[in-house]
């Protein structure tokens, strides 16, 4: 994992972690579409990510502590990717990006879950994030 940064600016450091399009799209697919296996992320992405790029981004997200990789209990040869609390904390950022795109990019569409969460306000977003915690985080205690 990279420990040095171009500057101490928090926006720069965040961009260094999340700044390329593929990283954000992988996170989007895990958060909003519940794609948690490599094959699902590879074959069901609307944008058509290459397998080597996907493998690299998943590895970087694991290194950054945004997702975890574990053995899938339903299939011996599959890994399952889960969001960490750090990953779930990106939901408001993704929703703001979606809202900004909907407002300022005329060909974009705010649809599906992103639209529902925008229209549902802070309470629904908090509820969604709690559901992600139940799905992705190991039971504590």
């Amino acid at each position: 994992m990279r420990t040095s940064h171009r500057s101490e600016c928090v926006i720069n450091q965040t961009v260094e972690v999340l700044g390329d399009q593929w990283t954000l799209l992988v996170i989007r697919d895990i958060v909003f579409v519940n794609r948690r296996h490599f094959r699902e992320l590879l074959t069901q992405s609307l944008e058509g990510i290459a397998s080597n790029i996907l493998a690299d981004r998943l590895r970087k997200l694991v290194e950054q502590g945004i997702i975890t990789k574990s053995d899938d209990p339903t299939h011996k040869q599959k890994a399952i990717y889960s969001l960490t609390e750090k990953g779930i904390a990106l939901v408001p950022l993704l929703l703001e990006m979606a809202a900004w795109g909907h407002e300022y990019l005329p060909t974009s569409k705010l649809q599906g879950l992103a639209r529902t969460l925008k229209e549902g306000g802070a309470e629904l977003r908090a509820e969604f994030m709690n559901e992600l915690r139940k799905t992705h985080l190991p039971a504590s205690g």
Side-chain angles (χ1 to χ4, degrees), residues 52-68:
N52 61 322
I53 301 293
L54 176 59
D56 181 66
R57 294 320 182 271
L58 288 168
R59 180 187 54 76
K60 287 180 180 177
L61 288 167
V62 169
E63 286 176 359
Q64 290 289 338
I66 294 170
I67 62 173
T68 59

Side-chain angles (χ1 to χ4, degrees), residues 30-137:
I30 294 171
V31 168
F32 294 116
V33 198
N34 199 35
R35 293 186 182 131
R36 300 181 62 195
H37 296 95
F38 185 90
R39 178 75 44 208
E40 292 172 333
L41 290 161
L42 181 66
T43 62
Q44 296 176 20
S45 172
L46 298 173
E47 295 77 18
I49 189 170
S51 61
N52 61 322
I53 301 293
L54 176 59
D56 181 66
R57 294 320 182 271
L58 288 168
R59 180 187 54 76
K60 287 180 180 177
L61 288 167
V62 169
E63 286 176 359
Q64 290 289 338
I66 294 170
I67 62 173
T68 59
K69 178 182 178 181
S70 58
D71 293 332
D72 185 339
T74 65
H75 194 286
K76 290 182 180 182
Q77 295 178 328
K78 282 187 178 180
I80 189 164
Y81 294 93
S82 299
L83 295 163
T84 63
E85 187 61 42
K86 190 174 177 180
I88 293 169
L90 290 169
V91 168
L93 173 68
L94 294 172
L95 291 172
E96 287 303 316
M97 289 177 67
W100 184 91
H102 180 67
E103 179 78 20
Y104 296 106
L105 302 174
T107 60
S108 71
K109 294 180 182 171
L110 188 60
Q111 52 194 13
L113 184 55
R115 179 185 207 126
T116 301
L117 291 170
K118 180 182 185 293
E119 293 170 352
E123 188 174 312
L124 185 59
R125 286 190 298 272
E127 201 174 299
F128 175 68
M129 290 171 71
N130 283 332
E131 287 300 315
L132 286 173
R133 287 181 185 97
K134 290 177 189 174
T135 301
H136 289 266
L137 301 177

